[in-house]
Amino acid sequence: MTISGLTVVGVKGLVGAATSNVTQQNLIGAANAERGHVSINGAKTILLVGLDGQGGMMRSDSNILLHIPASHDRAYLVSLPRDSYVRIPAYENGKVPYRGGENKLNSAFAYGSRGLTGDEALAHGFELLSLTIKDLTGITPDAGAIIDFDGFKKVVEVLGKVCMYVDEDTTSIHIGHTADGKRAAPYKINPDGTLHHKNPGVTANFYAKGNHCFTPSQALDFVRQRDLLANNDFDYGRQRHQQQLIKAVLKQVVNDGLSSPRKLPGLLSAVGKTMTVDGGGISLEDWAFAMRGINPDDMITIKTNNGKFNSRSVPGVGSAEILSDTSMQLLQAVKDDTVDNFVIAHPDWVATS
């Protein structure tokens, strides 16, 4: 997206600089094995995954389908709740086999990566998650990427700040300060990530509803929050805020980076280092040229379950989210490249902030 609107010479230079900083790895694996010849033409869906390493297991904290219609002139961001109750297929990772079963969506990455470390853990975790999403939706990702939200902090450091609209009052459970201004944790956190108790004498960071220009640490802190959101939308709020941060950072990279030759090399390097990418057999250069007409303002975020809880208590699993019939219609629209029609029929499912 950083290359839209430039001359051909400028595009070639930027593409080379940007792609040289991206870590590339086979992530989709067997989920993509049935494909024959692949082409950049037509509608494309990219699986974006953010990881959470709490509790010693590598779980997918964010699961975003980035759908690009065949026209390649806009993009849709559809987040799958991490607690969605799904069937995870049996899987052999060469170390600890998984027999298959029903569990939360974020468990798929954990079961795929069990007993593994480093690149092997990422590859097998992502592969089982891809296979799970394929079974759930019929969608085989055309490409995939693991997003390091900590890495976005480095991008913001180069930009100096990132400006975005905060759509609900948000209280941090991670960062606060004492009366003398020293940084301190405002809450004691349980091993599973839930709140234990408030730490006395510590005032939590508070992000009021409205326009904000975040420092790097504030931006990362804001999009990590799920527990103390004013609308009590928990993971739905966090997934929306993560989508908004991605858009805000990309928009600022385009607006500030392309007009600043001094900043641009550092920005491209920082953006590239925020992700590990599987191009699905298509070179990153081809992806870049095909998507050059998409501006961050052309990215539309859509709420699964219309951003409302549809929970059910499942023995042995706990509280899990059940994707509604309309959510499944949305995912079918992604598969069929008819998301435009879905949006027209369900305009309230579009996140406006």
Side-chain angles (χ1 to χ4, degrees), residues 168-179:
E168 61 182 319
D169 289 349
T170 301
T171 302
S172 174
I173 67 170
H174 300 109
I175 299 179
H177 59 273
T178 59

Side-chain angles (χ1 to χ4, degrees), residues 11-279:
V11 166
K12 287 182 177 179
L14 275 181
V15 168
T19 57
S20 66
N21 292 297
V22 177
T23 300
Q24 298 188 57
Q25 183 179 339
N26 183 7
L27 299 172
I28 305 171
N32 205 19
E34 297 174 4
R35 294 187 188 277
H37 174 72
V38 292
S39 166
I40 194 61
N41 298 321
K44 297 294 174 186
T45 300
I46 304 169
L47 175 58
L48 307 177
V49 175
L51 298 182
D52 174 15
Q54 291 179 351
M57 294 186 75
M58 195 179 291
R59 299 179 185 271
S60 56
D61 193 45
S62 303
N63 310 278
I64 302 174
L65 294 174
L66 172 62
H67 179 69
I68 301 155
S71 56
H72 292 186
D73 59 353
R74 60 197 176 284
Y76 295 98
L77 288 166
V78 179
S79 286
L80 297 172
R82 65 174 190 169
D83 290 341
S84 299
Y85 190 53
V86 298
R87 188 185 77 83
I88 303 174
Y91 183 76
E92 175 60 67
N93 70 359
K95 192 77 171 182
V96 182
Y98 175 62
R99 295 181 179 179
E102 296 180 329
N103 211 311
K104 296 180 181 181
L105 179 63
N106 69 345
S107 298
F109 203 107
Y111 288 132
S113 61
R114 280 192 306 180
L116 304 175
T117 58
D119 289 347
E120 273 195 312
L122 296 179
H124 286 283
F126 199 102
E127 182 177 36
L128 182 53
L129 177 62
S130 299
L131 290 168
T132 302
I133 290 175
K134 180 181 179 181
D135 279 4
L136 174 69
T137 66
I139 298 168
T140 300
D142 296 286
I146 296 173
I147 297 178
D148 175 11
F149 278 97
D150 286 334
F152 269 90
K153 182 179 177 181
K154 296 181 176 63
V155 179
V156 180
E157 286 173 354
V158 179
L159 289 169
K161 61 183 179 181
V162 62
C163 299
M164 60 185 289
Y165 181 76
V166 173
D167 59 11
E168 61 182 319
D169 289 349
T170 301
T171 302
S172 174
I173 67 170
H174 300 109
I175 299 179
H177 59 273
T178 59
D180 58 1
K182 293 182 179 178
R183 177 166 166 164
Y187 288 87
K188 173 70 175 177
I189 311 297
N190 293 318
D192 63 357
T194 57
L195 291 183
H196 183 62
H197 64 72
K198 179 86 164 60
N199 288 328
V202 180
T203 300
N205 277 13
F206 179 73
Y207 309 108
K209 181 177 180 179
N211 291 310
H212 284 262
C213 286
F214 288 129
T215 66
S217 61
Q218 289 172 338
L220 181 61
D221 184 45
F222 170 66
V223 297
R224 293 178 67 197
Q225 305 309 316
R226 63 176 294 275
D227 295 272
L228 301 179
L229 305 180
N231 296 338
N232 294 318
D233 44 5
F234 296 95
D235 280 320
Y236 285 110
R238 176 164 63 175
Q239 73 182 26
R240 189 176 65 253
H241 298 159
Q242 289 173 342
Q243 291 173 337
Q244 291 166 351
L245 176 67
I246 291 172
K247 287 181 63 174
V249 168
L250 289 175
K251 185 173 182 178
Q252 203 154 330
V253 167
V254 171
N255 291 343
D256 294 355
L258 295 184
S259 62
S260 173
R262 179 182 60 82
K263 284 185 179 180
L264 190 54
L267 280 174
L268 291 177
S269 176
V271 169
K273 291 175 181 176
T274 63
M275 60 191 74
T276 300
V277 174
D278 180 350

